[in-house]
């Protein structure tokens, strides 16, 4: 769909009864943009990418994610002796990027006339600020390996959430392009953290793999694992009109027999629905 | 309009008023409304529903251009062939590294895994284009490398870094050119894997150089955004590694 047609649709969209608040306008933009995407998203996208969020929902959720990850690294870097001196610059850089992403998304919301969501009181224990609740993420701000494990899950979650939400902000070409580029940065963060964990003895690759050792968590924390790597074993790609690209019969590499299902799953990262992401994010405030 | 019919004398009175008379809010909104109306007319004129006055003659994928180049095609097919060309190059490079004896141990094992990812991406695009745009699938390309590319670990890592950074830049730049949402999903699913490769290889070259920032031309910029390049710039770089001359001038261009 040409941009001009999209604008056409927007021009034709009647105001929602009287003086629409600017927040409502942003929501309208989001709805119109999604509706204007070609092909009917429902038919073409993997289930996980089928979000029906408005652009305001999408940007707000991405801001929540970036604020959460930023707060996590800020607190970790403030704990004396948690992150080894040799790796401190790595996490200072990652934090710098997260703060830049927070600034960019904040600006996007402000430019759109939306009210900034209040900053949640983040609690990385998983107790959600209630002392009586069980601890879901023990020692993540006191033991380096536990810190790294949570960092990996949050970075993987970031990659997958941007991958899913980017379609909901397609109305804004500038923000859309920025989101694509942030998405790649998050993947680089994840690959690095995964490499750090491997160097300390964890069984984990730089990309999500079926051979990665699961990160042990209480049942109450399952939403995070689901959001970070659930469904990465998917082997079906590019569904179009119900047809997938049939790897086992078409791929040359497959016939050469050195490519396994494991490699096919690794070669494609998966998107995540906003609901699955929200369930994980909600564990932290 | 009736103003125009008024006796000429009234103009003098208008001129006598100061030029900077503040526009009342009500008047401002009238002007704003008029502008919006005019914009709507302009938009209506450009709507896709109106017949295109000129149909550009867009090349098919894998067709030969006037100067003997191979066209990647137009629209989404062009974007897919563009990705297919880059994946062909990456897959060939990693296959050669994986089959060689310069790397060893865990490092070689990792390069063999990356080789599989890239081969899968390559064959994925071939299958997808063959399915969706029969007859427009880019032919198999003949990669070429500077002498000594596969001779040393240093050279292999430097080439791998260049290819992965180029791949990430290319996908980041191509996203806006893709019209079909399903292709966009796939591009997103692949680019993050390429970014993971890029971070891994950068960390091999010098630990902690993943997602480097500080120099927007070669790394993450001051807004925390990753590399991005246009197809023209990417192909100019990639062409040095491809024997056939490629023409990507119609990538993402739609009739």
């Amino acid at each position: 769909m040409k941009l001009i047609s999209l604008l056409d649709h927007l021009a034709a969209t009647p105001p929602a009864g009287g003086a629409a608040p600017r927040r409502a306008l942003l929501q309208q933009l989001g709805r119109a943009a999604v509706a204007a995407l070609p092909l009917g998203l429902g038919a073409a996208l993997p289930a996980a990418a089928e979000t029906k969020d408005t652009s305001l929902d999408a940007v707000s959720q991405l801001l929540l994610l970036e604020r959460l990850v930023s707060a996590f690294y800020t607190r970790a870097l403030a704990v004396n002796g948690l992150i080894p001196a040799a790796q401190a610059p790595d996490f200072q850089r990652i934090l710098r990027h997260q703060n830049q992403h927070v600034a960019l998304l904040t600006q996007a919301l402000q430019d759109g006339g939306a009210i900034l969501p209040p900053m949640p009181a983040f609690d990385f224990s998983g107790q959600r600020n209630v002392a009586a609740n069980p601890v879901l993420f023990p020692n993540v701000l006191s033991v380096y390996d536990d810190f790294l494990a949570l960092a990996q899950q949050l970075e993987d979650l970031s990659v997958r959430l941007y991958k899913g939400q980017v379609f909901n902000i397609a109305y804004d070409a500038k923000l859309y392009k920025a989101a694509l580029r942030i998405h790649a940065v998050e993947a680089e963060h994840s690959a690095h953290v995964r490499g750090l964990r491997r160097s300390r003895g964890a069984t984990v690759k730089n990309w999500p793999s079926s051979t990665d050792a699961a990160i042990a968590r209480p049942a109450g924390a399952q939403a995070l694992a689901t959001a970070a790597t659930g469904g990465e074993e998917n082997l079906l790609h590019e569904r179009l009109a119900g047809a997938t690209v049939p790897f086992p019969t078409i791929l040359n590499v497959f016939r050469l027999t050195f490519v396994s299902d494991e490699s096919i799953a690794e070669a494609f990262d998966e998107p995540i629905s906003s609901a699955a992401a929200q369930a994980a994010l909600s564990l932290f405030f | 309009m009736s103003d125009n019919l008024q006796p000429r004398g009234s103009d003098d009175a208008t001129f006598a008023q100061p030029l900077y008379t503040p526009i009342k809010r009500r008047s401002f909104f009238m002007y704003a409304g008029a502008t919006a109306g005019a914009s709507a007319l302009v938009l209506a004129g450009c709507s896709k529903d109106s017949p295109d006055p000129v149909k550009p003659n867009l090349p098919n994928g894998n067709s030969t251009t006037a100067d003997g180049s191979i066209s990647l095609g137009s629209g989404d097919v062009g974007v897919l062939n563009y990705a297919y060309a880059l994946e062909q190059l990456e897959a060939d490079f990693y296959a050669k590294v994986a089959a060689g004896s310069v790397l060893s141990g865990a490092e070689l094992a990792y390069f063999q895994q990356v080789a599989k990812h890239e081969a899968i991406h390559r064959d994925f695009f071939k299958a997808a284009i063959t399915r969706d745009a029969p007859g427009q699938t880019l032919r198999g390309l003949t990669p070429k490398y500077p002498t000594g590319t596969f001779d040393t670990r240093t050279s292999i890592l430097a080439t791998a870094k260049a290819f992965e950074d180029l791949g990430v830049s290319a996908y980041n730049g191509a996203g806006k050119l893709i019209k079909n949402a399903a292709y966009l999903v796939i591009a997103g699913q692949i680019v993050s894997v390429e970014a993971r490769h890029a971070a891994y290889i950068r960390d091999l070259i010098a630990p902690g150089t993943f997602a480097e920032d500080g120099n927007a031309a070669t790394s993450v910029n001051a807004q925390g955004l990753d590399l991005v390049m246009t197809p023209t710039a990417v192909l100019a770089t990639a062409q040095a590694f491809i024997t056939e001359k490629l023409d990507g001038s119609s990538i993402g261009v739609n009739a």
Side-chain angles (χ1 to χ4, degrees), chain B residues 53-157:
Chain B
V54 181
K55 279 271 184 200
N57 195 15
L58 294 170
N60 277 335
N62 202 39
S63 61
T64 305
T65 66
D67 73 349
S69 301
I70 305 167
S71 175
L72 296 175
S74 62
D76 279 358
V77 173
V79 182
L80 294 178
N81 270 326
Y82 171 52
Y84 179 40
L86 295 176
E87 296 291 358
Q88 282 193 43
L89 182 56
E90 285 193 297
D92 182 82
F93 168 75
Y94 282 108
K96 287 187 166 66
V97 174
S101 56
V102 175
L103 302 184
S104 62
E107 222 166 79
L108 177 62
Y110 255 76
F111 269 74
Q112 288 169 337
Q113 291 177 43
V114 175
K116 291 176 191 175
H117 300 165
E118 304 298 4
I120 290 165
H121 293 163
R122 176 198 62 200
D123 287 8
F124 170 82
F125 279 111
K126 184 178 182 181
I129 302 165
T130 304
R131 183 194 63 185
D132 295 351
Q136 295 199 58
T137 312
L138 180 66
R139 69 199 69 177
L141 301 174
T142 316
K144 59 177 181 179
Y145 305 92
T147 308
T149 297
F150 299 97
D151 290 356
T152 65
R153 177 179 181 272
T154 305
S155 166
I156 288 172
L157 293 184

Side-chain angles (χ1 to χ4, degrees), chain B residues 211-231:
Chain B
E212 259 185 320
D213 52 13
N215 178 354
T218 58
S219 55
V220 178
N221 75 5
Q223 284 184 293
L225 308 182
D226 215 326
L227 297 165
V228 64
M229 284 169 81
T230 62

Side-chain angles (χ1 to χ4, degrees), chain A residues 74-247:
Chain A
T74 301
R75 288 189 207 177
L77 282 163
V79 176
N80 210 7
L82 172 60
I83 299 174
Q87 268 69 56
D90 300 3
F91 287 99
Q92 283 159 357
R93 180 191 306 149
I94 292 176
L95 173 59
R96 190 158 61 237
H97 294 159
Q98 311 296 172
N99 286 339
Q100 288 159 348
H101 301 163
V102 167
L104 191 143
L105 295 168
T106 300
Q107 188 67 50
L109 284 177
Q110 288 172 335
D111 288 351
I115 297 165
L116 279 186
M119 178 72 82
F122 293 117
D123 177 354
F124 294 99
S125 70
Q127 288 177 298
R128 309 185 69 176
N129 299 306
V130 178
N133 287 344
V135 173
L136 300 178
F137 309 103
N139 306 323
V140 294
L141 289 172
S142 55
V143 176
Y144 187 48
D145 285 320
D146 294 322
F147 159 76
L148 286 178
L150 183 55
Q152 176 191 312
Q153 289 183 303
L154 291 178
E155 294 293 351
D156 281 341
L157 164 60
S158 301
V159 176
R160 287 153 58 99
L161 185 56
Y162 272 98
K163 209 186 300 293
Q165 285 290 28
V166 72
F167 298 95
N168 296 320
I169 51 177
Y171 77 96
D172 182 330
K174 193 177 161 200
L175 187 59
Y176 172 69
K177 282 185 268 184
L180 291 176
R181 296 169 69 186
I182 292 175
H183 166 245
V185 172
E186 305 293 357
E188 285 157 13
H189 292 173
S190 166
H192 180 70
V193 173
R194 285 167 162 270
L196 289 178
R197 290 189 69 229
R198 189 170 64 249
S199 72
R200 295 175 60 84
T203 303
V204 62
K205 294 184 185 177
N206 298 74
W207 36 85
S209 170
S210 56
T211 62
D212 290 350
I215 294 171
R217 301 263 189 237
Q222 181 56 40
L224 179 62
T226 301
T229 48
E232 281 293 337
E233 68 279 6
N234 177 35
L235 298 177
L236 301 176
H237 297 286
E238 227 280 274
R239 281 188 286 179
L240 202 58
T244 56
V245 170
F247 279 103

